[in-house]
Each structure stands twice: as structure tokens, then as C-alpha cells.
Amino acid sequence: MQVLILTDAARLSNHAAGQIAAQLRAQPGSVLGLATGATMAPVYARLIAAHRAGLSFARMTSFNLDEYVGLGPHDPGSYHRQMRDMLFAQCDADPARCHLPRGDAPDPEAEANRYEAAIAAAGGVDLQVLGLGQNGHIGFNEPPADPGSRSRVVTLAATTRAANRRHFPAAQPVPRRAITMGIATILSARHCLLLATGAAKAQAVAAMLQGPVTPDCPASALRRHPRVTVLLDPPAASALRPPGQSAAPPAA
Ligand code: GLP
């Protein structure tokens, strides 16, 4: 696992966008795993700038991590809508190859199974981008998260619903359930790139990197993956112990 602490969130976004762009330049037909959330917004803004300077998304296939159950693709709170606004509609990505689970599917469990099969049929994910929940979730895999889990329907933690309230119009309730790629789905990607910025993520970052590998911190499962890059800004890295320092002070 490679952990990089960048000098600030702007440089972190540049670095992440640079890695995604490099992947697409090296392999224009890459399968990308994409994430939503505030951390990703400046990364997508930089990718749109790169597109205007010549980067093409035309041959990319993408699979997003998750979607809220009950929301159709045009719902203002949906991740379909977020992705369209942040990236897809502003570049030459082929909408037919930009996938998210359908939150409005009549049978959400069947939709999750279909989604998992579609990822496999595309040959798996080359580069999976991840944000980090304040409770250590990746995608919407809330703690405790089974490390063997595949795409499925999950119930959102109250803290997650509160954290994501800001992405919804005031009158719209935050959904209680979501379809998410599972932990094993995420770990099947050939390279994972996790981004965390801000002090609100500091405890989750410390648990992910320095706590036990446990379902109670879903992101800690990434430590079992052979190729993970973690990008942090200084506030997100602020709860990490210096190398060599143990978790608890020695008993007196
Ligand atoms: C949401 C998403 C995650 C995302 C996380 C962090 O719950 N399901 O995939 O990584 O929140 O979001 P933010 O970047 O807004 O803090």
C-alpha cells in the first residue's frame, strides 16, 4: 500500500486526476470504478479541464460504486444525476458505457446481482477510485462489512444519512437503503485509489491504516489488496501515529 500525504486538497485532486488521466492515456478502453461525493468533485473538475485539453473518455467503460434505492436516474439526489452533472455530460464519455446500479429497479437485490455480473462481464475494474466515509465505509459498505461481500442492498447508517443530507433538496428525505458494490467486488479491482480530505476523515483514516483489519472498519480490508494508493491531505492524516509508535501507551 502506498500512502501519500499531499500538501493540500488542491494538490491531492491534481494528483488523483493525473492518475486517472494517465490510466486512460495508457489504456483508452480502461474500465474505471468511479465514486461520488464532495471529495471527488474537484477531481472530476480537473478531468473535465483535461478533456478540454484533449483527453478522451470515449472508449472508457465505468462502473460507479453505489446508488440510493428508490431514486431514478433523474432524481436530483441520485448518484446518476451527480455523475452526469460532475463528469459524464461535460466530456465525451459514452452514456451507454457509464454504469450505475438502478436505484429504481423493481427488485433491488436482482439489480445488485445484475450489476455484479456486468462488472465481471466487462473484465473487471482496472482502476477503482474510492472516497472514505467518516465511519470507515467504502462505497456504501457500512460497518460491520463482510469482506467477502459482493454487490447487494444495504441499510445506511444514521451517521451516513446525516453526512449526505447536504446533497439532497431540503424537502426530500435521504433514502434508507442503497445498492453498493461489495468489499470483495472492490478488492477485485486491479488498482485501488482512495482519497480522503479534511479532519472529519482523520479517525477513519487512522483506523483504516493503523487499526486492526476488521469488518468494523470496512476500508481496512484494502490492506489485503496488493495495489492500493491512498492520497491524504494533512488534516485527513492528522490522527496517524508516526511510524514505530504503538497504538496504546505501554502498561505501567
Ligand atoms: C458517500 C458515498 C461514498 C463516498 C463517501 C464520502 O457515502 N457512498 O462512496 O466515498 O460518501 O463522501 P464525501 O467525499 O462527500 O465525504
Side-chain angles (χ1 to χ4, degrees):
M1 183 180 261
Q2 183 188 33
V3 180
L4 298 177
I5 303 173
L6 287 305
T7 48
D8 55 37
R11 285 200 175 78
L12 179 147
S13 303
N14 285 341
H15 192 98
Q19 283 217 6
I20 297 167
Q23 173 73 37
L24 284 174
R25 287 195 186 97
Q27 254 185 73
S30 292
V31 179
L32 298 186
L34 298 179
T36 45
T39 313
M40 289 305 301
V43 177
Y44 294 138
R46 283 158 173 80
L47 286 174
I48 291 161
H51 167 65
R52 292 185 180 138
L55 178 69
S56 177
F57 293 78
R59 292 176 55 202
M60 162 191 91
T61 296
S62 67
F63 289 93
N64 262 78
L65 285 163
D66 43 22
E67 179 59 286
Y68 293 103
V69 168
L71 302 192
H74 296 287
D75 191 291
S78 71
Y79 283 162
H80 275 83
R81 172 77 176 269
Q82 237 189 64
M83 286 307 299
R84 233 178 7 255
D85 292 352
M86 286 196 298
L87 180 64
F88 300 148
Q90 300 193 62
C91 69
D92 61 346
D94 175 359
R97 286 215 298 270
C98 297
H99 306 279
L100 291 91
R102 285 290 296 237
D104 58 348
D107 180 345
E109 280 295 352
E111 170 63 5
N113 293 338
R114 183 200 66 77
Y115 198 65
E116 183 76 26
I119 297 168
V125 170
D126 295 305
L127 176 64
Q128 175 66 60
V129 183
L130 298 161
L132 180 67
Q134 292 179 26
N135 61 1
H137 75 214
I138 46 177
F140 267 138
N141 292 280
E142 303 282 31
D146 174 0
S149 55
R150 293 283 169 180
S151 300
R152 68 201 185 292
V153 177
V154 293
T155 299
L156 300 178
T159 50
T160 297
R161 294 179 65 230
N164 291 357
R165 171 75 262 170
R166 68 193 194 281
H167 297 300
F168 286 82
Q172 186 177 7
V174 182
R176 295 184 176 275
R177 295 189 304 154
I179 297 172
T180 182
M181 285 188 197
I183 297 289
T185 319
I186 292 168
L187 294 183
S188 302
R190 289 177 268 285
H191 182 191
C192 292
L193 175 65
L194 182 140
L195 282 56
T197 58
K201 304 289 172 72
Q203 293 305 325
V205 166
M208 165 178 73
L209 297 178
Q210 296 181 329
V213 174
T214 165
D216 294 334
C217 177
S220 67
L222 292 168
R223 284 168 34 211
R224 302 250 193 261
H225 190 286
R227 191 166 176 223
V228 177
T229 307
V230 174
L231 304 182
L232 305 173
D233 70 351
S238 61
L240 289 173
R241 298 185 308 274
Q245 194 171 311
S246 65

